[in-house]
Amino acid sequence: MALLALSPLFPPLASAAPAPAPPAKVHAVVLGAVRKVPYTPPDAAPLPGKPDKPADPIALKVRPLTIDGRQKEWTTGDAHDVTDRSFTIRRALRLNDQLPGDTAPRWSWQPGPWLLVDRTTGHITALRLPDFDPEVSDAVWFRDYAAYCGTAPTARGGLFAIVAQLGARRAVVQKQIGKWPQPTPPAPVCKTAQWQRMPLRVTLQPTGGDPVTFDVVGAASLIEEGDTPDDN
């Protein structure tokens, strides 16, 4: 019985095992130590007898947000875990307060807008909450909702009760509860929002006004968490 020789032109077929996927990069998302910086609220009264000189600043607590050892933002206030992999936190801004005629630089710390941070991808998203006013609004988070008083200094100006949901294009709740701007707005403009789990509802109250309670419909989360790591 003759043995067939294999031609070198047709080598034996090898098993085409897929190459192992590279391991996903693990991002280190860290909120650093608290640091106190001077902060002058925009509505702070000037010093007595010195109308051109602002009131003495108060302390604003800020923390650096670092990703993979690199500082990305300054933040202020507490973080809120939306899911097991993402959280929201408020950004702290250093604004250039130098007038055209000033000879020396002048920087002012201010609380800014909110950020959504993904611990898995290391991605930071700036949130554009409807009618959010950094000088007035104090967002209180529950799940992926934020409740606060917002302002609309436009043709439809007023003080609004707002409930925003991450991923939604429009506010879940948006109802006028007062006038804006006000000649001498109280501080704070609204009391802290109060959430209730079952049924899902929230109460907002302008300072000196009546509380208003809203049922929040559409409790399913709309937040989208991507799977593509951010290597930048």
Side-chain angles (χ1 to χ4, degrees):
M1 179 176 173
L3 297 178
L4 297 178
L6 294 178
S7 169
L9 297 179
F10 299 97
L13 294 178
S15 59
K25 181 178 179 179
V26 178
H27 293 269
V29 179
V30 178
L31 288 169
V34 173
R35 166 186 170 188
K36 293 182 179 181
V37 296
Y39 162 56
T40 302
D43 56 355
L47 294 176
K50 298 180 180 180
D52 296 332
K53 188 174 181 180
D56 292 334
I58 60 178
L60 180 69
K61 296 180 180 179
V62 299
R63 290 186 294 175
L65 171 62
T66 62
I67 297 179
D68 300 334
R70 297 169 58 187
Q71 181 174 334
K72 296 292 186 178
E73 299 284 355
W74 283 103
T75 67
T76 184
D78 297 327
H80 166 70
D81 287 326
V82 179
T83 69
D84 57 349
R85 62 178 274 182
S86 60
F87 65 90
T88 60
I89 193 165
R90 197 167 180 184
R91 186 183 180 196
L93 300 173
R94 290 191 70 199
L95 298 178
N96 183 4
D97 201 34
Q98 183 178 1
L99 291 171
D102 292 343
T103 57
R106 180 185 174 93
W107 294 94
S108 174
W109 285 92
Q110 298 287 335
W114 284 83
L115 305 172
L116 178 66
V117 184
D118 192 312
R119 294 186 180 92
T120 301
T121 64
H123 186 67
I124 301 174
T125 303
L127 299 178
R128 292 174 175 83
L129 301 179
D131 292 333
F132 184 86
D133 186 339
E135 299 177 5
V136 172
S137 304
D138 182 18
V140 178
W141 290 87
F142 177 65
R143 298 177 180 167
D144 57 342
Y145 295 97
Y148 54 92
C149 287
T151 64
T154 60
R156 65 182 184 90
L159 182 68
F160 287 81
I162 303 289
V163 177
Q165 184 179 19
L166 297 180
R169 295 186 177 182
R170 300 178 61 181
V172 178
V173 171
Q174 190 172 35
K175 182 177 177 60
Q176 185 170 354
I177 56 175
K179 296 182 179 180
W180 193 266
Q182 300 176 8
T184 54
V189 174
C190 287
K191 295 185 178 181
T192 303
Q194 301 293 322
W195 280 100
Q196 177 181 314
R197 181 180 293 109
M198 293 297 290
L200 183 57
R201 58 179 49 159
V202 65
T203 300
L204 288 152
Q205 181 179 1
T207 301
D210 297 326
V212 184
T213 299
F214 303 93
D215 290 326
V216 180
V217 180
S221 176
L222 298 175
I223 184 173
E224 295 182 3
E225 295 176 323
D227 296 325
T228 302
D230 182 2
D231 295 328
N232 296 330

